[in-house]
Amino acid sequence: MNALVSRRAIVIEAESGARLIGHGGDPGTRELREFLTRNRVSHHFIDLDGSDPTAPTPDGRPLAEDDLPLLIGGDKILRAPTILEAATALNLRAPNKTAKKAWDTLIVGGGPGGLGAAVYAVTEGLSTMMIDSTALGGQASTSSRIENYLGFPAGISGSELAERAIAQARRFGLRTAVPERALSLRHEDGRYVVALDSGDELAARTVVLATGASYRQLPVDGCAELNGAGVFYAATLVEARMCGSGAVAVVGGGNSAGQASIFLSGTAEKVFLLLRGGDLGASMSQYLVDKIEAIENIEVLLHTEVREIHGDAVLAGLTVEDKRAGGRRDLDVGGLFIFIGADPCTEWLDGQLAKDDDGFLLTGGELDVTHLDVDPINGGRPSMPLETSLPGVFAVGDGRAGSIKRVASAVAEGSMSVSLVHQYLASQAALGRS
Ligand SMILES: Cc1cc2nc3c(=O)[nH]c(=O)nc-3n(C[C@H](O)[C@H](O)[C@H](O)COP(=O)(O)OP(=O)(O)OC[C@H]3O[C@@H](n4cnc5c(N)ncnc54)[C@H](O)[C@@H]3O)c2cc1C
């Protein structure tokens, strides 16, 4: 396993394997590139906007603009593929998805919570399928360095942590499918059926929901239009390279913003860290505060908000305002990294599961009898910890009400959910419903 993981890392680092040819500034190309990167598909990107003087013509045909982005993997040449087409060609989507087979457990969401559940489920003999709408690894795989996860004293990149967890779970038989977005959940004939955006359905005796949360955008004109073109919600080498070596700005006061600032200070000439509040330590871990204060090319701007975002196709700069002093200032930055919190990815469960006012899934003791308006399949017993308002459906990680937004806690909840899955299956067997 060590050899396999190391070999994969070398292959990805060497950018061998598939080739992607396109314009770096084109949204479709960017989306496909991000999909390949986040799913750790080893590839080499040839940017026709960049310095590559000639475009290769792999099958002898001249390269037409309509062909772009062009994806070449083995003997397959895909012209302007959709993400789904690319994923199918790269064997990322599980074949024969059908509700005829009922898995012991279906995990929706492949972040740390889902992966934690997956490793324990497969090692404890449960037939397990895990789906993700974007990429296995979740938010954590966009983190350049996780320094507070147990057992990695030198830190580990989120994508490497995910890579290791996926290899570990697959070794014991985990099946995965990406990209597959869950659209609805229903109870039918003693099992749960999850409908997917591809039109397929999956059935399982239990479900672990690990769909996490998605980033909040800045409420400033032009911000959404420049997503991926200078405005980013993750700080990895991919985004850093897209910004070049000029100055960048990071918005946010939590650990994600702190980590991003430290990471970007190594590639950018200068990093402006923008905080609405007046205290860097208010919601950031002290070890990050100490590091930031020691790095010369990070300038912390307190009481500061972004007022204008400049640039049409690509970010060209910002105007920020010091709310306390009242002055405005232009920042000449080529990258804006936003880390201002997240909303739970639970809209698809509206009306199906009990949630709190912010949309996070209620579980265990957070539920009261008024939430349990579903058929009491298990005889109306009290919910187990992590169990949602549907018996046998568990919620773990950032999408759960009251969760601690950390990799370790998501992994821990994932592993804990498997023990509860076993308890639920045993209770069903005792009721003659296995
Ligand atoms: C940049 C960054 C740095 C961070 N650094 C640290 C750190 O150093 N230490 C730390 O402890 N924590 C860190 N965190 C927080 C940590 O990553 C999260 O707490 C953790 O990832 C939560 O795991 P999760 O499994 O609950 O959700 P996520 O990681 O968000 O994963 C959820 C997954 O579900 C998928 N999904 C969503 N909806 C659907 C659907 N309908 N169907 C199918 N799939 C769906 C998503 O695509 C996603 O992959 C960081 C976060 C970020 C963004």
Side-chain angles (χ1 to χ4, degrees):
M1 277 317 280
N2 279 339
L4 177 81
V5 170
S6 306
R7 188 173 172 277
R8 283 268 305 145
I10 292 167
V11 167
I12 290 172
E13 184 77 13
E15 298 186 351
S16 54
R19 269 181 297 161
L20 177 67
I21 303 168
H23 295 286
D26 167 56
T29 305
R30 273 205 311 261
E31 200 189 359
L32 192 51
R33 195 178 167 201
E34 191 186 335
F35 176 76
L36 297 177
T37 305
R38 287 201 55 192
N39 281 288
R40 291 162 293 281
V41 176
S42 170
H43 68 283
H44 176 56
F45 177 55
I46 299 170
D47 188 355
L48 300 180
D49 286 343
S51 55
D52 289 285
T54 52
T57 53
D59 58 357
R61 275 174 46 180
L63 204 51
E65 281 296 317
D66 286 354
D67 291 339
L68 301 176
L70 188 75
L71 180 62
I72 306 160
D75 56 355
K76 291 181 187 136
I77 299 178
L78 303 181
R79 301 187 146 76
T82 61
I83 298 282
L84 223 55
E85 286 165 349
T88 306
L90 294 163
N91 297 323
L92 296 176
R93 306 184 64 224
N96 306 326
K97 281 185 294 302
T98 163
K100 281 185 198 147
K101 171 182 169 68
W103 299 87
D104 288 334
T105 191
L106 169 64
I107 302 170
V108 184
L115 286 167
V119 168
Y120 283 83
V122 288
T123 51
E124 291 178 20
L126 298 174
S127 69
T128 309
M129 165 64 99
M130 183 164 76
I131 58 165
D132 196 288
S133 55
T134 314
L136 301 182
Q139 283 181 64
S141 68
T142 66
S143 170
S144 41
R145 189 141 289 266
I146 296 168
E147 300 208 50
N148 56 358
Y149 190 63
L150 185 79
F152 295 92
I156 182 167
S157 78
S159 106
E160 190 185 344
L161 185 65
E163 174 86 27
R164 286 171 172 270
I166 294 160
Q168 191 176 8
R170 284 202 178 127
R171 181 180 154 213
F172 292 100
L174 175 72
R175 300 295 302 272
T176 61
V178 179
E180 296 287 359
R181 179 176 293 280
L183 296 183
S184 67
L185 169 72
R186 64 178 192 276
H187 191 254
E188 192 177 278
D189 300 333
R191 59 199 195 147
Y192 289 102
V193 177
V194 170
L196 309 175
D197 61 351
S198 57
D200 294 322
E201 290 189 334
L202 288 166
R205 298 200 284 157
T206 62
V207 179
V208 176
L209 299 168
T211 50
S214 67
Y215 315 111
R216 281 192 198 132
Q217 307 215 345
L218 274 186
V220 180
D221 282 350
C223 186
E225 289 72 17
L226 293 179
N227 274 353
V231 174
F232 303 106
Y233 296 84
T236 67
L237 216 50
V238 173
E239 291 82 19
R241 280 182 185 151
M242 287 168 92
C243 296
S245 58
V248 298
V250 176
V251 180
N255 281 358
S256 308
Q259 285 169 357
S261 303
I262 293 165
F263 170 69
L264 292 165
S265 69
T267 56
E269 181 184 56
K270 172 145 194 149
V271 178
F272 296 99
L273 174 55
L274 278 48
L275 260 81
R276 274 202 310 198
D279 177 10
L280 189 56
S283 47
M284 193 181 290
S285 299
Q286 191 57 41
Y287 81 95
L288 292 171
V289 175
D290 294 342
K291 271 192 180 180
I292 286 170
E293 287 174 348
I295 296 175
E296 277 183 11
N297 66 337
I298 301 183
E299 182 179 341
V300 181
L301 303 180
L302 302 175
H303 305 289
T304 301
E305 287 185 10
V306 176
R307 289 286 174 249
E308 290 172 31
I309 291 182
H310 309 294
D312 293 327
V314 177
L315 180 75
L318 306 174
T319 302
V320 299
E321 182 174 330
D322 182 328
K323 287 184 298 159
R324 206 175 42 177
R328 288 198 176 202
R329 169 181 177 187
D330 288 332
L331 299 182
D332 182 16
V333 293
L336 170 62
F337 294 81
I338 303 170
F339 299 97
I340 54 170
D343 296 309
C345 303
T346 55
E347 330 76 56
W348 65 283
L349 294 161
D350 278 354
Q352 298 166 73
L353 291 178
K355 302 181 192 179
D356 71 7
D357 293 344
D358 296 317
F360 290 89
L361 296 171
L362 292 168
T363 56
E366 306 256 342
L367 288 160
D368 63 40
V369 281
T370 58
H371 290 118
L372 298 172
D373 52 359
V374 291
D375 178 27
I377 307 165
N378 53 15
R381 57 155 172 77
S383 293
M384 292 188 272
L386 303 184
E387 196 175 29
T388 67
S389 53
L390 277 178
V393 177
F394 301 88
V396 302
D398 284 10
R400 192 181 68 77
S403 64
I404 310 293
K405 310 280 181 291
R406 289 282 181 272
V407 173
S409 48
V411 171
E413 288 182 9
S415 68
M416 187 176 150
S417 70
V418 174
S419 160
L420 301 167
V421 161
H422 279 300
Q423 285 182 38
Y424 171 79
L425 291 175
S427 72
Q428 291 298 289
L431 292 168
R433 294 175 180 149
S434 56

